[in-house]
Amino acid sequence: MSVTSEEINYLIFRYLQESGFVHTGFAFQNESHIHRSEYRNANVQPGALVNVLQKGLLYMDLELHVNEDGSERECTGPVALIGPHRCDKQAKKPKREEVVNRGSKRDRKDSKRAQKQQQDREKRARTEADEEEKDDNMMDTDQVEDVSVVGTPAESADLAEVKVIPASDAITLKGHAADVFVCSWNPTSPSLLASGSGDATARIWQIPTNADEPLQDPIVLKHLPALTNANRDVTTMDWNSSGTLLATGFYDGQARIWTQRGQLRYLMSQHRGPIFALKWNKKGNYILTGSLDHTTIVWDAVTGDAKQQHEFHTGAVLDVDWLDNTTFATSSSDGKVYVCKVGSTEPLRVFEGHKDEVNAIRWDPLGELLASCSDDKTAKIWSMSQKDCIFDLTAHSEAVYDMTWAPREASSKDPRILATASFDTSVRLWDANNGECLRVLSRHIEAVYTVAFNPSGTHLATGSPDHTINIWRVQDGALVKTYQGEGGIFEVDWNSTGDKLAACVANGTLVVAHVKL
């Protein structure tokens, strides 16, 4: 085996071209005489240099963690291209398939969905086996009637009032070449929508006021070429509060800051694994990211530099949320929730109580309570004033994947409402003042992936892999509008004026519905 400097130079040259470093690539070509090389017309796949480096890291990983007898040494510490490796023997090294399954929001949902489907199949098999043992005479008239019942008269009346959102009130945004599973409306420009996909791009769309108006071509934000179709995901995105900058997280572990016009302002590289969560603070001077590498990083948004990296978790960081401009919470597959402060080397609080990975965390609008939801089928509400949760919400029968707080003013006497979405096909509305379940919203026929309140808090949108978007009235839990899409729904999001609802669809499109409530 031999490697020549000409081969290395050519891979570097291709990397510079693919990354958009046009002037640097031109200078490097002239200085290294690539144009005279025998490899100048070589057929090299995109991302070849990164591919070689990653394979080298895999070899280094094996070399560092294989004992003399051939057994594998347990270690969760990532092997880096630059810097010394530190073995972490306190936690078991994750299996390769676990890493793949947590590769993006989409992959984690698909993995959970597959687990639930397997459980349902096993449950049906057990039920069918039990029924076969019963005598045929046990199937009486009442049982036959139960099978044919669609719903109670009240439920049937409710269904008659549900209005289907017509195709004329919806715009389908096409252009992504893979599933679209994250989107974010600009907070100050109600017609500006960003989307992220598994095609290694994000896009910024200008949505027409009316569905029949022509649609402009989006601004395409190209991320670095990924190695395979499995890891080309823009995993998360968030606008700053002024709506001037968009931050994106990518599977390659890098965060990026873009302008409204699609110009890349900063490329932020310090994570050693895919980024799962990303949030701006309200002031807009810090960005917080969480990664598969078990760490969170606070980035200085003015300079693009990493200000502080926290390494408290022993599992992948799945979500992050700011309490204020300097205090934030993080959740992880290790089942723990940490509350940290910029500049502090120790957490302010450690909330323990979940028995499985914590999928999401959200501070309430008043900044007094923190909600968390988990694969352990529960959601919990915490307060900084005590160690244990103040309410343990246990009514769901499957994993709780997403949740959101209803908007609320400090002077309001209305209950603090938390909505939770579960793989048991239901959404529940909770009163956070007493922990009681106010409503059960259960018209979806598959797991509910996403929930979002409109800006006034009067209605709740939900999305599911059953291809359905439902809009519910919070006051009485009535289903008032529904939309049947052409693919599973990964995420829904309202614009700042509440007249448009965006949905990410598994067929590579976005749907924007013009909603009149």
Side-chain angles (χ1 to χ4, degrees), residues 125-160:
R126 290 194 297 269
T127 302
E128 291 171 359
D130 291 341
E131 289 178 350
E132 288 177 359
E133 295 177 0
K134 295 180 181 179
D135 184 46
D136 292 339
N137 294 330
M138 293 295 291
M139 180 63 76
D140 57 20
T141 305
D142 291 337
Q143 288 174 309
V144 173
E145 290 178 352
D146 285 343
V147 173
S148 63
V149 170
V150 174
T152 64
E155 289 174 335
S156 300
D158 288 342
L159 282 172

Side-chain angles (χ1 to χ4, degrees), residues 395-411:
H396 284 293
S397 59
E398 297 291 344
V400 185
Y401 192 80
D402 193 22
M403 62 184 178
T404 185
W405 291 95
R408 187 176 188 272
E409 299 294 333
S411 59

